[in-house]
Amino acid sequence: MSEECFDAEELEELLRPVVERHNGEPLQLVQILREAQEVVGYLPAALLTATARALKLPRAQVEGVAGFYSFFHLTPPGRYRVLFSDNITDRMLGSGELLDRLCNKLWVERRKLSEDGLVSVDTTSCTGMCDQGPALLVNGQPLTRLSGERIDRISELIRAQLPLGDWPAEYFRVEDNIRRRDTLLSAEWPAGEALRAAIARGSEAMLAEMKLSNLRGRGGAGFTTAIKWESARRAACHTEADAQAGARYVICNADEGEPGTFKDRVLLSSYPDLVFDGLSVAGFTIGARKGLIYLRGEYAYLLPALRENLERRRRSGLLGRAVGGEVGLDFEIDIHLGAGAYVCGEETALLESLEGKRGIPRIRPPFPVTAGYRGQPTVVNNVETLCKAALIAIRGGAWFAGLGTKQSTGSKLLSISGDVEMPGIYEYPFGVSVEQVLQDCGAGNAQAVQVSGPSGVCLAMHEFSRSIAFEDVPTAGAFMVFGSHRDMFEVARNFAHFFKHESCGFCTPCRVGTSLVANCMDKIGKGLGTQYEINQIFKIHRLLHAASHCGLGQAACNPLFDTLQKFRPAYERRLCSLDFEPAFDLDQALAAARQMTGRDDPAAHFGFAARLPGVAS
Amino acid sequence: MTQPSILLDGLPVPFVDGQTIMDAAMAADIFIPHLCHHPEFKPQGSCKLCTVKANGRYVSACTLPARDGMEVENNSPDLNDKRRTLLQMLFVEGNHFCPSCEKSGNCMLQALAYELEMLSPHFDQFYPNRAVDASHPEVLLDFNRCILCELCVRASRDVDRKSVFSLSGRGIDKHLIVNAESGRLADTDFSWADKAAHVCPVGVILKKRSGFAVPIGKRRYDVEPIGMQVERLAARSADEES
Ligand SMILES: Cc1cc2nc3c(=O)[nH]c(=O)nc-3n(C[C@H](O)[C@H](O)[C@H](O)COP(=O)(O)O)c2cc1C
Ligand code: SF4
Ligand code: SF4
Ligand code: FES
Ligand code: FES
């Protein structure tokens, strides 16, 4: 085994600089664990104890945080840690076979560390590379456009223990794939332009422009941005001194965890100044001195470039003290990395995670605009929303309101993947029809489109005339296309497992319900399902919708509900009867005994299998 | 000024500012099923047994502040059906063998199952593999029955100031842990005198060598259904067993 032994003293040595870098601040716990893990390789029990001691936190709290995030490892994960992106689009491109192929080549079992501690292979939720999949992460670095040949080569590189830096750079190339540009993606303003424009307008007038623009959030809920900003601007800080010190916060939600969404990745890699400008404009407007970016762990590879950009902005007076030459206008931006938890995209779970805790959605009210980060007034906005705010600062609210539809002003970035000729980023004015989009991206034989990811809605062919807009089909950006040859049951099953894996586990309905429906889907998938399971799914859907604590649980059964409504035959083909069948398979339960005794005769089988001579299980 | 009130199943129920729907109901001796709520502790809102409909929207009664004129539906077939399903979920998620459990008759989960006429667990059992912690000289932890209500977590953190308990894992793998590198209760500063030792609504935190002092059949919820015990539930203080 590769259970490396560190003694406690050695671990404290390794931990000290990490803790010092964060000034021993307990709110930085997630960042500290991440960095400590980078040094040590994983988070051994003694390291958690040392961290707790250094931060003066209860050890159990530190362990609880370490145990919450997928990218934290309490046992050694392998010097090469391979995680295949497990979105349905990756699967459609053959990721399952590629995973098996890599396991075979490396002589490892999925999810198990190899004997020599060299490598582990597993899956992870969508990594946001759906337009260039199948994709995987190796030690946190994304690899795109996998093929059988590449997988073979990768197995050789791992066996030769070549450092990632010496792997072909081509493997790590991440494309933007921008296919259609509208007002946002054709913007070419220099860094700081939007911020200077906002300063020239003044914060009051900037807010008025935001109101005029009628910009609505691009992260999913579609809340009017100006109302959010105004509430946070007006809300009282804890104390008057806090208010004087500008203790309000603006947060850029770059968690982009919804499977099938990757537009924020492109904005962060190719339009970072627009993002930073938008965040700065928001900070200026509400009177915040600090902006935070919550970057999903899967996008850690963007960090060096983003940090460099921030450094550049600091040098050119766009960050730090007296921003844009305005005395008294101070603004700083920090980037926090997530650690593998979709729920942390939910804005209050995100705040908990930013404060170094388990990513559990908070009880609302109070809302973040009155009590957010550190309990102070806080605005949380999506990456794209902030980019739009930057455009509004420059070109004005009336201009923006003239684009799109009346209730959905401006444009929307769509992340298009699946069965299309040209997957990638498409920017459209709101109001575009699904049909038009399908035509543009080359979706010849689409039978269904999953709009806004698993939490969104599954549209069937007869709905393709509907339009992308808050008043018709709202979306956070994902647009996954399924050709007529695809099995919509498998699509829904993939989503059911996604939600099961990502439930934070806080509330009963979501924690248990997501497991129950995933089990139901597996049972149906094995051909053991009946009408009983279908009824079960409907019942759990109603409960989760009504009683879940956050949007994750509320939406978790949407894809099943939609496909059951619109693609019922995909389920019914698999039902074994209309009556109840127990999930417990007696014959399967005897498999271990058969193996031990070396028997496989009919008498060693139960039920249907007993009647077939020589069925090997 | 007249006191503000909510309309709870058609009945006017007064409240004072800052009270939740649950607080108001309890003060008026009206039962809203609950598991993770305890009047002594900060509301948690995780079990969702207290789900009610306020002005047409499903909400948690234990966390939502009451507002004047709010119309709240509580004791309805729809809500009780949802609560029954939640109970079934809690039963299959853990390992609950009531007949051999020391808490039987004093257990809120069991009492609610009777109250809401849950006749069977309905779903397939998960049969999770959860080890028992018998390391502590005074106390046994049988995690098989944990419903993750976090009452012990809150009591130990907020009252005892020891933070003996915490949660780890995520989703269906979420589980209770104790504050020791060994993972054993004996290696924490937990004691039977702690508030946290007396708040578990089910049979996880048990005193050793004192089982079945009151025979089954004569216990708290054997003698009177939980729905009739609102006054006692409302008067619970942190050091009295739930
Ligand atoms: C489970 C869940 C995941 C979410 N993930 C994201 C995300 O990755 N990015 C995002 O911007 N918003 C996400 N949201 C929405 C946020 O809670 C929030 O509404 C949004 O960040 C607000 O920004 P906006 O007003 O600019 O859209 C998520 C919501 C839920 C319930
Ligand atoms: S804890 Fe309650 S429900 Fe669980 S076994 Fe014991 S008595 Fe039954
Ligand atoms: S041990 Fe008891 S009190 Fe603690 S979380 Fe579990 S059920 Fe709740
Ligand atoms: S566990 Fe997150 S919504 Fe219930
Ligand atoms: S009692 Fe309200 S959620 Fe548990």
Side-chain angles (χ1 to χ4, degrees):
Chain A
M1 269 302 294
S2 80
E3 183 81 32
E4 291 156 58
C5 287
F6 295 95
D7 65 46
E9 250 170 72
E10 198 182 334
L11 284 172
E12 278 185 39
E13 257 339 283
L14 292 171
L15 184 63
R16 189 166 304 124
V18 176
V19 170
E20 273 167 16
R21 206 173 320 145
H22 293 280
N23 302 320
E25 174 59 72
L27 293 183
Q28 294 291 103
L29 178 59
V30 174
Q31 304 308 305
I32 290 170
L33 289 176
R34 249 200 99 93
E35 290 169 27
Q37 177 169 279
E38 246 159 57
V39 181
V40 180
Y42 72 110
L43 299 171
L47 181 68
L48 297 180
T49 307
T51 308
R53 198 175 307 128
L55 301 179
K56 301 190 178 60
L57 288 172
R59 186 191 183 282
Q61 187 184 331
V62 175
E63 184 182 345
V65 171
F68 183 83
Y69 297 91
S70 295
F71 293 166
F72 287 154
H73 305 286
L74 304 179
T75 53
R79 290 193 294 286
Y80 291 86
R81 187 165 50 86
V82 179
L83 292 172
F84 280 81
S85 176
D86 199 23
N87 189 21
I88 185 69
T89 54
D90 294 285
R91 289 214 185 171
M92 282 158 36
L93 293 165
S95 65
E97 295 74 33
L98 294 176
L99 185 149
D100 290 340
R101 184 164 176 157
L102 185 64
C103 286
N104 283 338
K105 290 265 166 187
L106 290 168
W107 286 87
V108 291
E109 246 182 276
R110 194 182 146 184
R111 274 193 281 270
K112 284 205 184 129
L113 181 62
S114 63
E115 298 255 335
D116 53 2
L118 177 66
V119 59
S120 60
V121 180
D122 202 349
T123 54
T124 189
S125 298
C126 180
T127 57
M129 301 289 163
C130 323
D131 57 335
Q132 46 207 302
L136 60 74
L137 295 172
V138 55
N139 295 352
Q141 295 290 314
L143 265 73
T144 57
R145 293 177 298 270
L146 298 172
S147 62
E149 203 183 316
R150 272 199 190 176
I151 287 294
D152 295 351
R153 187 71 193 108
I154 288 168
S155 78
E156 286 159 18
L157 293 167
I158 291 176
R159 271 200 300 216
Q161 310 206 20
L162 216 64
L164 289 190
D166 298 339
W167 290 25
E170 162 70 11
Y171 288 13
F172 298 95
R173 210 178 71 224
V174 177
E175 307 266 10
D176 277 354
N177 289 331
I178 295 175
R179 311 284 187 183
R180 189 181 194 282
R181 292 170 199 269
D182 207 293
T183 45
L184 175 56
L185 295 180
S186 49
E188 285 177 3
W189 311 99
E193 185 79 9
L195 176 58
R196 278 187 288 267
I199 295 173
R201 288 180 193 278
S203 65
E204 199 89 37
M206 182 59 219
L207 187 61
E209 293 301 327
M210 289 298 289
K211 284 186 188 163
L212 210 58
S213 74
N214 202 16
L215 170 65
R216 294 171 67 174
R218 302 309 200 231
F223 197 79
T224 307
T225 309
I227 297 182
K228 232 187 226 185
W229 289 18
E230 185 169 39
S231 314
R233 184 182 146 100
R234 284 220 184 123
C237 293
H238 278 181
T239 64
E240 192 44 40
D242 288 345
Q244 291 297 323
R248 294 163 204 276
Y249 298 92
V250 282
I251 290 164
C252 170
N253 188 343
D255 196 47
E256 189 155 71
E258 191 72 42
T261 319
F262 45 88
K263 46 119 191 154
D264 293 342
R265 181 197 82 217
V266 173
L267 290 173
L268 289 162
S269 25
S270 297
Y271 298 78
D273 273 308
L274 214 51
V275 181
F276 294 143
D277 264 331
L279 192 59
S280 309
V281 169
F284 169 70
T285 310
I286 73 158
R289 290 197 186 177
K290 180 100 183 209
L292 294 160
I293 297 188
Y294 190 93
L295 184 68
R296 73 184 303 216
E298 289 82 347
Y299 293 170
Y301 76 100
L302 294 172
L303 201 55
L306 289 171
R307 291 238 161 97
E308 223 170 89
N309 187 304
L310 286 178
E311 215 24 73
R312 213 161 38 237
R313 289 178 73 92
R314 208 161 280 126
R315 280 198 305 272
S316 46
L318 295 171
L319 269 187
R321 314 219 69 154
V323 168
E326 282 285 296
V327 179
L329 185 60
D330 304 340
F331 194 69
E332 259 311 325
I333 295 179
D334 266 355
I335 304 177
H336 279 238
L337 266 181
Y342 161 67
V343 71
C344 289
E346 195 283 333
E347 56 185 13
T348 61
L350 182 148
L351 293 171
E352 290 288 293
S353 183
L354 276 179
E355 293 181 2
K357 303 184 204 136
R358 292 162 59 80
I360 309 289
R362 292 178 179 173
I363 295 168
R364 285 140 299 157
F367 291 93
V369 285
T370 56
Y373 184 60
R374 294 167 171 254
Q376 305 282 12
T378 301
V379 160
V380 182
N381 273 137
N382 174 255
V383 176
E384 186 184 345
T385 312
L386 292 169
C387 289
K388 301 266 149 85
L391 291 193
I392 293 165
I394 298 173
R395 307 191 62 175
W399 162 80
F400 192 84
L403 311 167
T405 74
K406 200 161 178 327
Q407 288 176 60
S408 313
T409 54
S411 65
K412 181 78 195 94
L413 300 195
L414 299 179
S415 317
I416 301 188
S417 63
D419 295 315
V420 301
E421 275 161 33
M422 287 165 298
I425 300 295
Y426 291 70
E427 186 186 13
Y428 286 100
F430 265 123
V432 65
S433 73
V434 171
E435 232 153 25
Q436 180 69 52
V437 177
L438 287 170
Q439 203 175 359
D440 293 351
C441 65
N445 65 347
Q447 64 166 326
V449 185
Q450 186 75 29
V451 183
S452 207
S455 337
V457 54
C458 181
L459 300 179
M461 228 181 312
H462 68 274
E463 298 166 291
F464 290 174
S465 58
R466 294 179 63 181
S467 50
I468 301 292
F470 292 110
E471 62 271 28
D472 192 358
V473 184
T475 179
F479 194 98
M480 290 184 272
V481 179
F482 302 101
S484 55
H485 56 300
R486 299 295 177 188
D487 182 347
M488 294 310 290
F489 171 82
E490 285 302 339
V491 173
R493 172 147 79 143
N494 176 261
F495 293 162
H497 280 276
F498 165 75
F499 285 116
K500 172 186 168 180
H501 180 68
E502 296 297 343
S503 165
C504 76
F506 174 74
C507 69
T508 312
C510 171
R511 182 180 69 244
V512 187
T514 52
S515 275
L516 285 171
V517 291
N519 292 348
C520 273
M521 292 298 276
D522 287 347
K523 189 173 168 189
I524 297 171
K526 277 192 220 150
L528 295 170
T530 63
Q531 186 58 40
Y532 182 85
E533 273 68 39
I534 307 272
N535 295 344
Q536 196 100 296
I537 291 171
F538 279 123
K539 185 180 171 133
I540 296 172
H541 170 66
R542 284 193 300 275
L543 176 70
L544 263 65
H545 207 79
S548 293
H549 178 64
C550 83
L552 189 156
Q554 286 156 15
C557 292
N558 285 0
L560 284 74
F561 182 78
D562 280 356
T563 46
L564 270 167
Q565 297 280 329
K566 298 172 190 174
F567 301 93
R568 189 69 163 240
Y571 288 75
E572 281 175 350
R573 268 192 286 125
R574 293 183 155 83
L575 301 188
C576 64
S577 79
L578 291 176
D579 304 317
F580 174 75
E581 278 286 324
F584 183 68
D585 183 343
L586 267 179
D587 186 59
Q588 193 52 41
L590 280 177
R594 277 194 298 270
Q595 200 176 17
M596 278 191 285
T597 54
R599 278 180 61 179
D600 199 20
D601 54 291
H605 283 276
F606 255 115
F608 180 62
R611 278 169 261 136
L612 299 172
V615 263
S617 42
Chain B
M1 223 185 88
T2 60
Q3 200 182 359
S5 64
I6 58 174
L7 216 56
L8 189 54
D9 285 333
L11 218 71
V13 171
F15 67 92
V16 290
D17 213 32
Q19 278 189 319
T20 60
I21 297 174
M22 178 71 80
D23 297 333
M26 276 202 168
D29 206 11
I30 294 172
F31 184 61
I32 300 179
H34 59 271
L35 278 169
C36 70
H37 180 72
H38 187 301
E40 283 289 302
F41 302 105
K42 214 173 111 212
Q44 149 103 356
S46 65
C47 76
K48 301 298 176 196
L49 256 292
C50 70
T51 301
V52 294
K53 245 177 161 172
N55 294 341
R57 282 187 49 232
Y58 292 101
V59 298
S60 305
C62 68
T63 59
L64 194 78
R67 265 186 295 111
D68 196 21
M70 196 180 238
E71 284 183 38
V72 182
E73 173 187 317
N74 169 39
N75 192 3
S76 69
D78 166 47
L79 289 168
N80 287 334
D81 185 53
K82 291 198 161 51
R83 292 165 181 154
R84 211 173 299 122
T85 308
L86 288 170
L87 288 172
Q88 287 163 330
M89 288 178 165
L90 289 170
F91 269 95
V92 300
E93 179 192 27
N95 296 309
H96 297 268
F97 306 107
C98 296
S100 65
C101 177
E102 154 58 20
K103 203 64 183 270
S104 187
N106 288 330
C107 165
M108 277 182 84
L109 180 67
Q110 187 191 52
L112 279 172
Y114 282 121
E115 176 80 15
L116 291 163
E117 293 171 1
M118 185 194 113
L119 300 176
S120 79
H122 181 80
F123 302 113
D124 294 324
Q125 296 279 354
F126 288 17
Y127 296 124
N129 198 351
R130 301 184 188 163
V132 171
D133 182 348
S135 62
H136 196 275
E138 299 171 289
V139 174
L140 173 81
L141 292 181
D142 189 341
F143 295 112
N144 286 297
R145 303 166 187 145
C146 181
I147 55 169
L148 307 163
C149 69
E150 290 186 58
L151 276 169
C152 59
V153 176
R154 285 175 276 168
S156 185
R157 183 190 59 210
D158 303 339
V159 181
D160 305 326
R161 308 262 163 219
K162 289 187 180 177
S163 292
V164 169
F165 300 103
S166 192
L167 291 173
S168 188
R170 183 173 88 196
I172 199 67
D173 298 324
K174 185 170 85 159
H175 58 277
L176 198 64
I177 55 169
V178 300
N179 195 27
E181 190 175 305
S182 65
R184 289 161 20 113
L185 189 65
D187 297 327
T188 70
D189 50 355
F190 184 73
S191 118
W192 182 248
D194 290 357
K195 305 283 187 204
H198 307 278
V199 292
C200 183
V202 294
V204 180
I205 307 176
L206 299 170
K207 179 130 172 72
K208 284 186 171 174
R209 289 172 295 274
S210 73
F212 301 95
V214 180
I216 289 183
K218 297 242 161 65
R219 296 177 169 194
R220 182 176 298 147
Y221 301 116
D222 296 335
V223 290
E224 194 181 23
I226 188 167
M228 309 285 279
Q229 300 194 28
V230 186
E231 213 173 324
R232 190 195 57 79
L233 288 168
R236 269 175 303 177
S237 68
D239 48 13
E240 168 197 356
E241 264 187 81
S242 48

